[in-house]
Amino acid sequence: MVTCYCTQKLHGSAGEQVSKKDFEGFKNIFHRFLQVKGPSVEWIKIQRPPEDSIQPYDKIAARGLPDNVADSLNKLVVVKLNGGLGTSMGCKGPKSLISVRNENTFLDLTVQQIEHLNKTYNTDVPLVLMNSFNTDEDTKKILQKYTHHRVKIHTFNQSRYPRINKESLLPVSTNLSMTGQNSEGWYPPGHGDIYASFHNSGLLDQLIAQGKEYIFVSNIDNLGATVDLHILHHLVSQPNGKRCEFVMEVTDKTRADVKGGTLIQYEGKLRLLEIAQVPKAHVDEFKSVSKFKIFNTNNLWISLAAIKRLQEQKAIDMEIIVNPKTLDGGQNVVQLETAVGAAIKSFDNALGINVPRSRFLPVKTTSDLLLVMSNLYSLDAGSLTMSPKREFPTTPHVKLGSSFTKVQEYLTRFESIPDMLELDHLTVSGDVTFGKNVSLKGTVIIIANHGDRIDIPAGSMLENKIVSGNLRILDH
């Protein structure tokens, strides 16, 4: 069963309602943007979070699971943030429709995971997609294929805000249409918009009426963000007065994550600190792995009743992210956005849970795609798990050059995905192709000089090798 809320077409009263609500929301954020002067945090007031405010996952899991797992699952809704396009990977349309493994898209894998839960425990966990005006139409078309799956799928739309000219601070669009010159004049205002648009769509009330209590929210391109029964059990088993309204899954920073947002204690509350809020003089300190040891995976568990209460009280407070863009014609604009995790400070008894790195497996680039398509992972009921044959739990560091940026081009460069079980580091630059059954181990660096082409022959085994311009293979 598929239901859709709040179509964004501006005709009839429903459409006018949506645009009116969007306009209200934009007016509020724009008003705040004009008022806020200076940084949103004072560096001197930042403190480390108290010990008990970030729990180790092992401690949560050690409690075990109750006999009636189904009772907890029937209180859960899975929400995937589905507003993004696949443009950074050279694809048109919603990112969630890119094939990531055995012809399965991000959306296919999500549906398989939830269907597996519903069948295993005889439950009714629905899937909710937060679309944007960019992804809504294409996503709805594809949803027909899941009609006979054991998952109820609902959609609602993010708001639509006008981009503002950086100099004049006036909207770029001249009217409400999305076509012609105006098409670049609008944007979805970041995933922090989930609270308002979920509430405005009417779907929040409907789910509460069905007895749902928590949503598990994550980015649709994070393949590690599966429903965790231990975290869910921890949430629903707390006594009512002590119920945790907001859980943020965090994980240990590595050098690759220095820009990720982190949890701090600020004015007595847990708070998300993003790199955009850090004064320039302190950016290096923010990036240090020793001072800020964890970062936000954007896997969040949030109480539905609390969202309703805070929305009605207009009490959700999120810092504004000012996102500068340059339009195709060269015009400089700003987008005012918010992040879903920034609302943590508005909820009661908020908690961080330090989860294993495996729960953070985002696919932002074709370098990430290579990892998830490889034999490092096996696929079972829509979930990817690291192969037991891999001796250490970290993923290899992969950097593919600009010839691999677009998915179509990337796919033509591999006759088959190499064996990467023993790989630590791979850098590929220039015009490089891989034959069938190539094996990569240790540190492998392949650099084709400009104008040269390197074809790695079928069946090659490269271990700690540098392959340079004219296909000389050197020990690393």
Side-chain angles (χ1 to χ4, degrees):
M1 184 185 104
V2 177
T3 56
C4 308
Y5 288 74
C6 275
T7 36
Q8 203 79 15
K9 299 211 171 52
L10 293 166
H11 55 73
S13 60
E16 281 156 26
Q17 255 336 92
V18 172
S19 60
K20 215 171 181 174
K21 290 242 164 84
D22 288 359
F23 188 69
E24 271 307 296
F26 176 73
K27 207 168 74 174
N28 290 340
I29 199 170
F30 187 61
H31 187 67
R32 282 173 53 215
F33 164 69
L34 294 178
Q35 284 181 321
V36 171
K37 295 284 176 274
S40 57
V41 292
E42 290 178 47
W43 197 255
I44 198 152
K45 288 186 180 175
I46 288 177
Q47 296 172 304
R48 288 188 181 207
E51 280 302 303
D52 59 346
S53 65
I54 300 179
Q55 299 272 343
Y57 175 79
D58 293 349
K59 187 177 166 190
I60 303 277
R63 299 177 57 189
L65 289 173
D67 298 333
N68 55 346
V69 170
D71 289 358
S72 308
L73 278 170
N74 280 326
K75 294 173 180 169
L76 183 70
V77 177
V78 174
V79 180
K80 293 286 179 183
L81 304 171
N82 185 46
L85 293 168
T87 39
S88 61
M89 292 166 77
C91 295
K92 285 190 164 75
K95 186 173 182 183
S96 56
L97 307 185
I98 295 174
S99 288
V100 277
R101 180 89 187 208
N102 310 354
E103 302 301 306
N104 288 300
T105 64
F106 291 106
L107 188 53
D108 291 336
L109 295 176
T110 301
V111 171
Q112 286 166 28
Q113 286 164 21
I114 301 175
E115 183 172 47
H116 178 67
L117 274 179
N118 284 337
K119 283 180 170 171
T120 306
Y121 297 100
N122 191 25
T123 51
D124 179 22
V125 178
L127 169 62
V128 172
L129 300 172
M130 178 165 88
N131 298 337
S132 66
F133 62 83
N134 290 319
T135 61
D136 189 47
E137 211 169 311
D138 290 339
T139 301
K140 280 182 186 162
K141 277 182 199 152
I142 219 89
L143 289 181
Q144 300 311 314
K145 78 183 221 191
Y146 306 116
T147 318
H148 300 297
H149 287 250
R150 190 168 162 176
V151 183
K152 288 187 182 130
I153 303 177
H154 309 279
T155 69
F156 69 94
N157 262 9
Q158 255 175 293
S159 305
R160 187 182 84 154
Y161 285 2
R163 285 177 168 148
I164 313 161
N165 181 310
K166 195 177 175 184
E167 277 70 48
S168 68
L169 294 184
L170 292 171
V172 175
S173 290
T174 49
N175 60 46
L176 285 174
S177 92
M178 301 281 295
T179 52
Q181 283 185 316
N182 273 331
S183 62
E184 278 199 310
W186 304 92
Y187 71 98
H191 40 57
D193 182 57
I194 186 170
Y195 305 106
S197 51
F198 195 16
H199 182 259
N200 292 342
S201 72
L203 182 54
L204 177 75
D205 284 340
Q206 186 187 320
L207 291 167
I208 289 173
Q210 290 169 11
K212 304 299 181 190
E213 292 181 16
Y214 282 94
I215 51 172
F216 171 50
V217 183
S218 63
N219 298 349
I220 198 151
D221 64 6
N222 178 6
L223 293 176
T226 55
V227 171
D228 186 281
L229 297 174
H230 294 287
I231 296 177
L232 178 61
H233 174 53
H234 178 78
L235 287 173
V236 298
S237 62
Q238 301 296 313
N240 261 349
K242 288 267 184 251
R243 276 267 171 113
C244 173
E245 294 184 341
F246 195 110
V247 161
M248 178 181 287
E249 292 184 34
V250 295
T251 193
D252 292 343
K253 256 191 194 185
T254 67
R255 301 254 166 246
D257 315 303
V258 289
K259 292 183 176 172
T262 192
L263 279 180
I264 56 170
Q265 178 85 348
Y266 193 86
E267 296 178 338
K269 287 256 187 188
L270 260 194
R271 179 158 167 179
L272 179 65
L273 178 67
E274 300 274 11
I275 194 162
Q277 296 162 260
V278 176
K280 284 199 169 52
H282 296 283
V283 165
D284 286 344
E285 202 180 329
F286 175 82
K287 288 181 175 178
S288 104
V289 180
S290 55
K291 177 159 184 179
F292 298 105
K293 293 184 167 60
I294 47 132
F295 73 98
N296 167 27
T297 63
N298 220 34
N299 300 346
L300 308 166
W301 303 74
I302 312 171
S303 154
L304 285 165
I307 296 175
K308 182 175 167 67
R309 180 189 80 234
L310 292 168
Q311 266 305 119
E312 287 172 355
Q313 293 171 356
K314 296 190 167 39
I316 292 184
D317 176 24
M318 293 172 283
E319 291 74 33
I320 296 172
I321 300 161
V322 180
N323 189 353
K325 297 261 179 193
T326 304
L327 302 186
D328 288 346
Q331 188 177 15
N332 290 326
V333 297
V334 290
Q335 299 183 173
L336 304 179
E337 303 177 6
T338 54
V340 56
I344 187 169
K345 62 178 187 285
S346 305
F347 289 83
D348 293 339
N349 302 322
L351 180 69
I353 297 181
N354 191 343
V355 297
R357 178 72 185 202
S358 56
R359 292 194 52 76
F360 184 66
L361 187 58
V363 180
K364 302 289 183 197
T365 62
T366 50
S367 302
D368 300 330
L369 196 54
L370 182 63
L371 292 173
V372 299
M373 290 176 107
S374 76
N375 61 343
L376 287 164
Y377 292 96
S378 59
L379 181 63
D380 179 37
S383 298
L384 289 181
T385 35
M386 177 81 75
S387 164
K389 292 181 189 152
R390 171 107 175 143
E391 291 194 0
F392 20 84
T394 53
T395 50
H397 196 60
V398 173
K399 286 198 290 196
L400 299 178
S402 54
S403 311
F404 291 80
T405 306
K406 295 184 171 174
V407 174
Q408 292 323 110
E409 198 172 354
Y410 150 90
L411 290 171
T412 62
R413 292 184 174 275
F414 292 98
E415 278 196 55
S416 68
I417 302 294
D419 171 348
M420 291 164 52
L421 279 175
E422 294 176 47
L423 180 69
D424 299 324
H425 180 112
L426 173 68
T427 294
V428 184
S429 175
D431 186 359
V432 178
T433 63
F434 292 79
K436 272 202 165 82
N437 304 325
V438 171
S439 177
L440 306 171
K441 301 180 180 190
T443 294
V444 178
I445 297 168
I446 306 169
I447 297 173
N449 295 336
H450 188 66
D452 285 340
R453 172 172 161 166
I454 293 179
D455 297 314
I456 304 297
S460 307
M461 199 279 278
L462 300 179
E463 181 167 11
N464 294 329
K465 292 283 188 276
I466 297 172
V467 184
S468 69
N470 47 11
L471 231 180
R472 286 176 307 158
I473 296 185
L474 311 171
D475 281 321
H476 174 65

